[in-house]
Amino acid sequence: MSANPRFGEAALPFRPLAPAGIRIPGGRREPLDPNAPTLGRLGPLEVRLARTRQEIKRSQSIRYKVFYEEMSAIADAMAMMSRRDVDAFDDICDHMLVIDHEAPAKRFQRRKPKVVGTYRLLRRDIADRYDGFYSTSEFDLSPLLDARPYRRILELGRSCVLEPYRSKRTLELLWHGVWTYTLEHGCDLMIGCASLEGTDPDLLAMPLSFLHHFCRAPDGLRPSALPDRFVEMNRMPKEAINAKAALHALPPLIKGYLRLGAKIGDGAVIDHQFGTTDVLIVLPVDEINTRYINYYGADASRHAG
């Protein structure tokens, strides 16, 4: 859900730039935990939260490499100089890292653990202290924020994985980390923006219409694109949609979330800067497909550290 590495390719990302005017008074909300526990392990790979500012910088460097060097995001002068993807939300989010403890050493250097993947996590209790969620730059989240059953919302974003590590194992560990984090904090709803490549909705008529007719969130839990950015997703009648072709046209990211049980908000948003058309993913934790719950374990024990 981003600008826009894909699920199973560059990873599970959200969009990489912050809304204008975000205010984060006083820097980080709290010190980083130098002893943050492991969220999971799979062979030489470990998933855990960043423990130091240097580790956050490493995650930002990975984001820059994927979003700006591999994909089409346009970097400003500061990003180009630092070669890091940075925004104000970094100071209030938790940064989940995948670390390879057996990464090959650089020439003439000792081998050391390497950050190879990242995911950014923002809980509602933190977002409420500042300017809210990142997604509010594109979508009206009030139906979710006002929904009584869902008080502990988790926004997922900025996920990416270095190219040599884009494998089932790495993605599985990322998801295990998210699931463990979700359980530890009692989160009951996950959200985030996901993107389709291209800015002409008519060329995306089939996948957008498929999402509209078959995957929309229920009335009481359906955010809508902001009025001044709203793009109609209902571009084809339901009976005209070839479901197999529509699914094939969807990015792996969105297909992955649909398999988990996610639904889609109302309306899309065109992002000309990143060349994408964005939709909002809504995933209630109690509606996650039991197949995945059973696989990772209801207590996230499958890859426990």
Side-chain angles (χ1 to χ4, degrees):
M1 304 175 179
S2 174
N4 184 31
R6 308 299 190 195
F7 184 97
E9 295 174 14
L12 315 171
F14 291 60
R15 293 193 30 237
L17 296 182
I22 184 71
R23 300 182 300 278
I24 309 296
R28 279 199 64 84
R29 67 184 189 277
E30 59 189 21
L32 291 164
D33 181 1
N35 300 305
T38 292
L39 298 175
R41 293 199 71 129
L42 186 55
L45 300 179
E46 175 190 12
V47 61
R48 62 168 170 80
L49 299 183
R51 295 171 177 169
T52 65
R53 290 185 180 274
Q54 186 60 38
E55 288 186 340
I56 293 178
K57 289 182 179 179
R58 291 175 185 169
S59 72
Q60 293 166 339
S61 295
I62 291 174
R63 285 159 31 186
Y64 183 90
K65 182 175 182 63
V66 173
F67 297 145
Y68 297 93
E69 294 183 352
E70 294 186 27
M71 314 218 43
S72 58
I74 301 172
D76 60 20
M78 184 174 296
M80 291 180 68
M81 290 178 61
S82 68
R83 303 187 70 77
R84 291 188 288 121
D85 167 53
V86 181
D87 74 14
F89 281 91
D90 284 330
D91 279 341
I92 64 170
C93 291
D94 283 324
H95 298 259
M96 195 174 69
L97 311 175
V98 174
I99 300 168
D100 182 2
H101 290 275
E102 296 182 2
K106 294 182 179 180
R107 192 176 184 184
F108 305 124
Q109 294 184 13
R110 294 170 55 190
R111 188 168 71 180
K112 59 182 180 180
K114 178 181 180 180
V115 177
V116 300
T118 185
Y119 220 141
R120 196 169 73 173
L121 313 172
L122 179 57
R123 305 193 310 275
R124 181 179 184 175
D125 58 314
I126 304 300
D128 284 348
R129 300 180 199 172
Y130 300 98
D131 277 6
F133 288 111
Y134 177 90
S135 303
T136 57
S137 64
E138 293 190 349
F139 294 90
D140 176 11
L141 300 183
S142 56
L144 303 180
L145 301 178
D146 297 339
R148 292 185 179 181
Y150 301 109
R151 300 181 184 275
R152 295 177 296 278
I153 299 173
L154 175 64
E155 185 181 56
L156 308 176
R158 282 304 206 289
S159 178
C160 56
V161 175
L162 292 177
E163 195 278 333
Y165 291 88
R166 290 171 198 163
S167 65
K168 182 178 181 294
R169 288 166 60 85
T170 307
L171 295 176
E172 182 173 320
L173 199 57
L174 272 172
W175 270 111
H176 188 275
V178 170
W179 180 234
T180 303
Y181 185 96
T182 298
L183 294 177
E184 287 183 355
H185 292 280
C187 302
D188 48 32
L189 182 68
M190 301 182 201
I191 63 171
C193 298
S195 303
L196 294 86
E197 188 173 356
T199 58
D200 185 343
D202 289 331
L203 296 179
L204 298 170
M206 184 173 291
L208 288 175
S209 299
F210 173 84
L211 293 174
H212 172 83
H213 290 297
F214 296 99
C215 307
R216 278 206 302 174
D219 289 339
L221 200 65
R222 188 190 304 155
S224 179
L226 297 176
D228 61 339
R229 306 193 69 179
F230 188 99
V231 172
E232 180 61 61
M233 297 174 64
N234 183 13
R235 313 189 78 83
M236 294 175 58
K238 185 175 183 179
E239 59 273 14
I241 296 172
N242 181 322
K244 184 176 181 180
L247 279 169
H248 181 75
L250 286 173
L253 166 65
I254 296 179
K255 285 189 283 191
Y257 276 93
L258 295 180
R259 283 193 289 267
L260 285 172
K263 301 298 182 182
I264 307 295
D266 191 25
V269 172
I270 302 297
D271 187 336
H272 291 283
Q273 180 181 5
F274 292 99
T276 60
T277 299
D278 300 339
V279 298
L280 189 77
I281 298 294
V282 179
L283 178 57
V285 171
D286 61 1
E287 294 182 19
I288 293 178
N289 191 316
T290 55
R291 171 187 173 189
Y292 294 93
I293 301 296
N294 293 335
Y295 182 79
Y296 288 106
D299 58 353
S301 58
R302 183 176 180 87
H303 301 305

